[in-house]
Amino acid sequence: MILQVNDIRYFVEVKGRGVPLVFLHGFTGDTTTWSRITDRLSATYQCISVDLVGHGRTDSPQDVRRYTMDQVSEDLCCILDELGIKEAFLIGYSMGGRTALYFSLKYPHKVKSLLLESASPGLKTDEERADRRKKDQELAERIEREGMERFVDFWQEIPLFASQKRLSDTERSEIRNQRLNQSVTGLSNSLRGMGTGAQDSLWHKLDDLSIPVHLLVGELDEKFVRIAENMKKRHPEFEIVTFSNTGHAIHVEEPRKFGTIIEDLLLTT
């Protein structure tokens, strides 16, 4: 369905009935990246997947100010209100995980539990953020200069996704085609407005979370394993769930195992 939220048309997919689960995809993703998970969980839960601004079938505005974490979190709150959802479980992957964390801190009364897959609270120092903003700006300009196909050729080969080379040709083709369907403007502005460098650091706010938080990481994704461990040091009640022999995109590489773990975590919350 298309929902008009403030000045943006958002694509939202709703499957099933029951306790609401909200799924937020990563950079270059959309609602289809969750399909294998939501098809399974919708037998028991109401699964709500959202194309974040600049992605999928949601609008890709020219104004980069429409892509900030604060603005997108406000949009998500309006979407939940439009759907009549007072409280939900949030499941976010990578960029979507950062968004889910920001949303949970801004609207804690809306979140029953937070499941973060390969996500971070951002970068800790001003110097790190400034360096990342420069790199994100360079990547955004590269997308605008070279176009989507050349960007996807580059993006699918970065070390973060090395473990996805073990997927079948069909699965890898599906991922590639989904990325190719994205918008040059949407991805470029998403990097500028919602990239890790643009986002305020949330490390010092982790103590504000009083809801259950589960950190899902693939053991091959060493960077995000370390991030999860540091988050737990900051907030010992956070739970880390490690998927063996798996990389960054757990729900893509191990959808059955991911769905099973999600069900187990929801039952214990």
Side-chain angles (χ1 to χ4, degrees):
M1 71 177 73
I2 298 292
L3 295 179
Q4 184 76 28
V5 179
N6 298 319
D7 55 343
I8 299 290
R9 292 174 301 168
Y10 272 86
F11 178 77
V12 181
E13 183 177 70
V14 181
K15 299 178 184 176
R17 296 182 179 180
V19 175
L21 315 181
V22 176
F23 292 85
L24 303 178
H25 61 78
F27 178 67
T28 76
D30 57 34
T31 58
T32 64
T33 64
W34 294 112
S35 293
R36 293 179 183 175
I37 308 301
T38 56
D39 284 348
R40 169 179 176 160
L41 294 180
S42 61
T44 309
Y45 300 95
Q46 182 184 35
C47 296
I48 301 144
S49 305
V50 180
D51 280 352
L52 294 171
V53 63
H55 289 75
R57 284 173 274 184
T58 291
D59 286 345
S60 298
Q62 294 288 340
D63 187 352
V64 71
R65 292 174 297 180
R66 245 349 232 101
Y67 293 75
T68 66
M69 284 287 180
D70 196 66
Q71 184 64 65
V72 172
S73 292
E74 182 180 329
D75 293 344
L76 290 172
C77 187
C78 292
I79 289 171
L80 294 184
D81 288 344
E82 183 73 19
L83 296 175
I85 296 171
K86 295 182 179 180
E87 187 181 49
F89 291 87
L90 255 63
I91 302 165
Y93 161 65
S94 199
M95 180 189 76
R98 291 188 288 108
T99 307
L101 177 57
Y102 193 102
F103 179 91
S104 299
L105 290 164
K106 184 177 176 67
Y107 301 103
H109 62 287
K110 286 283 190 181
V111 184
K112 185 173 179 61
S113 179
L114 184 59
L115 293 87
L116 303 177
E117 175 193 357
S118 306
S120 83
L123 298 168
K124 291 182 179 180
T125 69
D126 290 340
E127 292 76 17
E128 288 176 307
R129 291 194 293 277
D131 181 63
R132 183 57 180 267
R133 282 196 300 274
K134 180 181 177 182
K135 291 178 179 177
D136 285 345
Q137 175 65 21
E138 290 172 351
L139 184 55
E141 292 174 355
R142 177 175 183 167
I143 296 171
E144 292 166 338
R145 181 176 63 253
E146 298 182 356
M148 193 58 65
E149 185 166 6
R150 290 188 64 182
F151 165 69
V152 171
D153 289 342
F154 158 75
W155 192 247
Q156 67 189 16
E157 296 299 326
I158 66 174
L160 194 66
F161 303 125
S163 55
Q164 291 186 20
K165 294 184 183 299
R166 300 176 303 181
L167 297 173
S168 70
D169 290 344
T170 298
E171 290 170 321
R172 292 174 63 187
S173 178
E174 288 174 355
I175 294 170
R176 177 178 173 80
N177 289 334
Q178 177 262 310
R179 287 171 172 160
L180 286 170
N181 285 329
Q182 301 297 339
S183 155
V184 167
T185 298
L187 293 192
S188 301
N189 279 345
S190 181
L191 284 167
R192 294 181 175 109
M194 293 180 67
T196 311
Q199 173 192 324
D200 291 337
S201 174
L202 301 177
W203 283 96
H204 65 291
K205 294 187 176 182
L206 294 179
D207 291 340
D208 295 343
L209 291 168
S210 58
I211 57 175
V213 177
H214 308 283
L215 309 174
L216 282 56
V217 291
E219 71 168 347
L220 302 179
D221 187 10
E222 296 178 359
K223 174 182 175 181
F224 281 86
V225 169
R226 290 194 300 271
I227 289 172
E229 291 171 347
N230 287 331
M231 290 175 71
K232 185 173 176 63
K233 288 178 183 177
R234 199 60 198 247
H235 200 311
E237 292 186 4
F238 288 1
E239 178 185 6
I240 299 177
V241 180
T242 304
F243 291 72
S244 61
N245 198 31
T246 308
H248 190 66
I250 306 166
H251 69 287
V252 173
E253 297 180 37
E254 293 284 358
R256 289 186 181 180
K257 189 181 296 184
F258 186 88
T260 298
I261 292 295
I262 293 296
E263 287 179 307
D264 291 345
L265 293 175
L266 294 177
L267 287 173
T268 59
T269 299

